[in-house]
Amino acid sequence: MAQSTSPITITRRDQMFPILAEADIERMRRFGEASAYAAGEHIVTAGEVAPGLIVVLSGTVDITQDAGLGRRETIVTHGAGNFIGELAQLSSRPSLVNAEATQPVEAFVIPSQRLRDLMVQEANLGERIMRALILRRVGLLESGTSGPVIIGPAGNGDTLRLQGFLARSGQPHRALDSDADPCAKTLIERFHVDPHHLPIVLCPNGKLLLNPGEGELARCIGLLRPIDTTKVYDVAIVGAGPAGLAAAVYAASEGLSTIVLDCRAFGGQAGASARIENYLGFPTGISGMALMARAYNQAQKFGVEMVIPDEARLLSAAAGGYTLDVGDGETVRARTVVIASGARYRRLDVANLAQFEGTSVHYWASPIEARLCGGQEVALVGAGNSAGQAAVYLASQVRKVALLARRGSLDATMSRYLVERIKAQPNIEVLTETEIEALEGHEGSLDQVRWRNRATGEETTRPIRHLFLFIGADPNTDWLAQCNVALDARGFVCTGPDLAPAHGLMETSRSGVFAIGDVRSGSVKRVAAAVGEGAQVVAALHAYLARGDAVAPQAARRQ
């Protein structure tokens, strides 16, 4: 079998598949349990939860990924001193690869909980292991072979929806065009799928889903698991954007049992940024998704329980704290709650907008959307930093970008470095004082866009098939309407002195409930500010729990 040759597998192979020294292995033994496997035995199967991180002492193990239609591709062969596992082992989620002993194997297995203990207690060794786990996930993402298989028409809105969800969730997957790919047609025939049921998803565990929702897909691949309703968490965080993830990392690292919920995926709006160049410590810039993925992995390292995608619907008082009603009739119990639900994308006020959303109108500029409109002219509406980053990214992928802004200049709302970069791009046309007037198309596909100059009244129509909207956001607080949490006139959560002089900066109108990030009234709408608030709120959580306002003896203890 040919070995996997994704770029990172070649360039960073030694870091992906390190050989542990005997001294390292001895330090790891106390976290694991001895195990043995016979030649030909399946140690790990894709789609099933692996026993943990497996350190090989003797023998050899082939690591393979499913390549479709019963074929398997070898990624690497492990021998003595290697370890089996990737990021899924941090949180006991189903494996994305197979592991089969090709010779008798002696090993020891480190379960997920003990692996997290190792990361904390053996910092230098934990750093090497964590780096390898992350790089292995990146390699699987690059290979485009592992994980669920989406089969459907390439430009179909539901196909794009499922691809986008998996991409934002950092999940390897494969997408096959049902109209053109021979493998896709074979699978459709094999499973006797009616074309009206497309797209379908074939999960690694063998289950077939017909045009599933994100929650159904997440449960099938093990991303979303049942909530333990008997457990009372020290803190429940609603929202997995920069603020929520920062709060989770700091809370869990300081000994608070932490659960995070988000109705979409981790990263929030920051995850949509093609490149963030003014975030402290990244002089060459970093994509929003890469930054948020690091935070997501970091939170799992400290044992944060992630419940994504799952939507908080109602916040209610309970003995010793609060309950959160979430999707599928489940309940989360927690002593404190942090609202970090951020904001939702603002929609354009055009009558037939919904007709084109998901296929031709986009709120995210990722490689998925870029492939859809490669070589075309696209229009982008917005004048903030997110719009600027998206415009620059798309300019490298498409023939032309028409950037529409309502104001007379970009300077008042966009960072100077982005304004200069946009001016330097020959295929970005900036149209100020301009608004979209109409969208025209058929069967969900956009054919042309008409816009009007507000100063002159002149209208222009262009044959544009893809429109990107980055026109700001509204607070994501509709779910708080029946929760007795005070909101300001614009719907943002009121906190601190706005409510009462003695209130802490991030405390809401309900004792033990805090708000941070973009959802908080008066917050600075920047990634760095959101991260700062996420760190700051943990001190308020400790103070609240230490006062005895909630029954939480273990929560008041820092570790």
Side-chain angles (χ1 to χ4, degrees):
M1 288 181 288
Q3 295 223 342
S4 172
T5 56
S6 66
I8 201 166
T9 304
I10 298 170
T11 60
R12 302 185 69 175
R13 191 175 186 83
D14 290 343
Q15 291 180 313
M16 290 178 73
F17 309 116
I19 300 176
L20 300 170
E22 186 59 37
D24 294 331
I25 293 174
E26 289 306 310
R27 287 159 59 197
M28 296 172 69
R29 278 184 189 271
R30 65 188 176 96
F31 297 96
E33 299 176 357
S35 188
Y37 306 95
E41 184 173 350
H42 293 280
I43 302 173
V44 177
T45 301
E48 298 180 6
V49 177
L53 190 85
I54 303 171
V55 181
V56 180
L57 301 176
S58 65
T60 56
V61 179
D62 274 351
I63 307 300
T64 63
Q65 58 186 348
D66 296 325
L69 298 179
R71 296 181 295 108
R72 286 188 175 179
E73 178 186 78
T74 300
I75 299 172
V76 67
T77 298
H78 285 317
N82 291 132
F83 56 85
I84 302 166
E86 60 97 44
L87 283 176
Q89 275 60 69
L90 268 183
S91 53
S92 298
R93 284 182 162 79
S95 175
L96 293 166
V97 298
N98 310 287
E100 181 180 348
T102 51
Q103 297 175 0
V105 171
E106 296 291 330
F108 61 86
V109 179
I110 304 175
S112 293
Q113 177 58 56
R114 295 295 284 157
L115 176 58
R116 295 193 294 268
D117 292 340
L118 184 156
M119 296 279 188
V120 173
Q121 296 175 32
E122 297 283 354
N124 291 335
L125 184 54
E127 178 186 349
R128 292 174 58 200
I129 294 170
M130 188 69 176
R131 181 182 295 112
L133 300 185
I134 292 172
L135 290 174
R136 291 176 186 185
R137 174 59 64 90
V138 173
L140 293 176
L141 287 166
E142 284 185 349
S143 73
T145 301
S146 296
V149 181
I150 303 170
I151 302 167
N156 177 272
D158 286 316
T159 302
L160 296 174
R161 171 180 59 82
L162 295 169
Q163 283 185 263
F165 166 70
L166 291 173
R168 291 193 296 273
S169 300
Q171 289 297 302
H173 63 281
R174 206 159 17 127
L176 303 180
D177 185 351
S178 57
D179 294 329
D181 193 293
C183 289
K185 294 179 179 179
T186 299
L187 288 169
I188 290 171
E189 292 174 3
R190 175 182 296 179
F191 291 106
H192 308 290
V193 178
D194 189 299
H196 293 96
H197 291 151
L198 296 174
I200 59 173
V201 180
L202 182 60
C203 298
N205 61 10
K207 187 174 181 180
L208 183 71
L209 306 179
L210 304 178
N211 193 14
E214 286 88 338
E216 183 184 1
L217 175 55
R219 289 191 186 278
C220 186
I221 64 177
L223 269 184
L224 189 58
R225 297 175 297 195
I227 295 170
D228 183 357
T229 56
T230 66
K231 182 173 182 178
V232 180
Y233 294 88
D234 292 326
V235 56
I237 300 171
V238 181
L245 289 177
V249 167
Y250 281 96
S253 69
E254 295 185 11
L256 302 184
S257 58
T258 306
I259 186 170
V260 174
L261 303 98
D262 196 289
C263 62
R264 294 182 184 87
F266 68 81
Q269 292 193 65
S273 296
R275 179 165 294 273
I276 302 172
E277 295 189 60
N278 57 359
Y279 189 77
L280 188 67
F282 291 90
T284 59
I286 184 171
S287 74
M289 179 51 68
L291 182 64
M292 292 297 97
R294 293 182 184 192
Y296 177 75
N297 295 332
Q298 191 175 17
Q300 291 186 95
K301 168 186 171 180
F302 289 115
V304 174
E305 186 168 340
M306 296 290 181
V307 184
I308 305 173
D310 214 344
E311 185 174 12
R313 295 178 178 173
L314 185 67
L315 171 67
S316 307
Y322 290 93
T323 62
L324 280 164
D325 293 348
V326 297
D328 293 334
E330 294 183 305
T331 300
V332 174
R333 301 168 63 199
R335 297 179 174 92
T336 61
V337 175
V338 174
I339 300 170
S341 48
R344 59 178 181 271
Y345 296 112
R346 193 170 293 155
R347 302 172 76 246
L348 200 64
D349 187 17
V350 175
N352 59 344
L353 178 72
Q355 175 184 338
F356 304 109
E357 288 179 315
T359 53
S360 297
V361 173
H362 313 283
Y363 299 88
W364 186 287
S366 76
I368 294 173
E369 289 78 24
R371 284 194 295 271
L372 285 175
C373 50
Q376 303 176 30
E377 178 181 357
V378 302
L380 188 151
V381 183
N385 280 357
S386 293
Q389 291 156 355
V392 171
Y393 169 69
L394 289 170
S396 68
Q397 308 291 318
V398 304
R399 179 170 56 82
K400 182 178 180 180
V401 178
L403 176 57
L404 282 61
R406 293 182 74 251
R407 296 182 181 227
S409 165
L410 300 179
D411 297 279
T413 53
M414 190 180 293
S415 295
R416 167 53 54 180
Y417 80 93
L418 281 171
V419 174
E420 293 297 328
R421 187 165 298 164
I422 286 170
K423 289 179 179 177
Q425 304 303 312
N427 62 336
I428 297 181
E429 179 185 12
V430 178
L431 301 166
T432 57
E433 297 190 80
T434 301
E435 294 180 325
I436 298 288
E437 282 288 293
L439 306 177
E440 299 177 17
H442 64 286
E443 297 182 354
S445 295
L446 191 61
D447 291 329
Q448 56 187 26
V449 177
R450 185 169 81 248
W451 57 72
R452 181 179 64 86
N453 184 285
R454 300 169 66 207
T456 65
E458 180 183 357
E459 292 191 352
T460 302
T461 299
R462 288 191 185 170
I464 288 175
R465 296 171 56 194
H466 291 279
L467 173 66
F468 293 81
L469 301 180
F470 290 82
I471 55 177
D474 297 313
N476 188 15
T477 53
D478 289 351
W479 68 281
L480 292 171
Q482 306 299 321
C483 300
N484 296 321
V485 173
L487 308 178
D488 68 13
R490 298 171 58 203
F492 291 92
V493 179
C494 295
T495 60
D498 290 344
L499 296 167
H503 260 54
L505 177 62
M506 298 169 192
E507 190 174 4
T508 71
S509 56
R510 301 194 71 167
S511 180
V513 179
F514 303 84
I516 57 175
D518 287 2
V519 77
R520 189 177 70 82
S521 179
S523 67
V524 178
K525 309 303 191 254
R526 285 287 187 270
V527 174
V531 170
E533 291 192 10
Q536 188 177 351
V537 77
V538 176
L541 296 175
H542 279 298
Y544 174 82
L545 294 169
R547 287 198 306 266
D549 294 327
V551 182
Q554 78 173 71
R557 181 182 73 251
R558 295 192 185 211
Q559 294 181 351

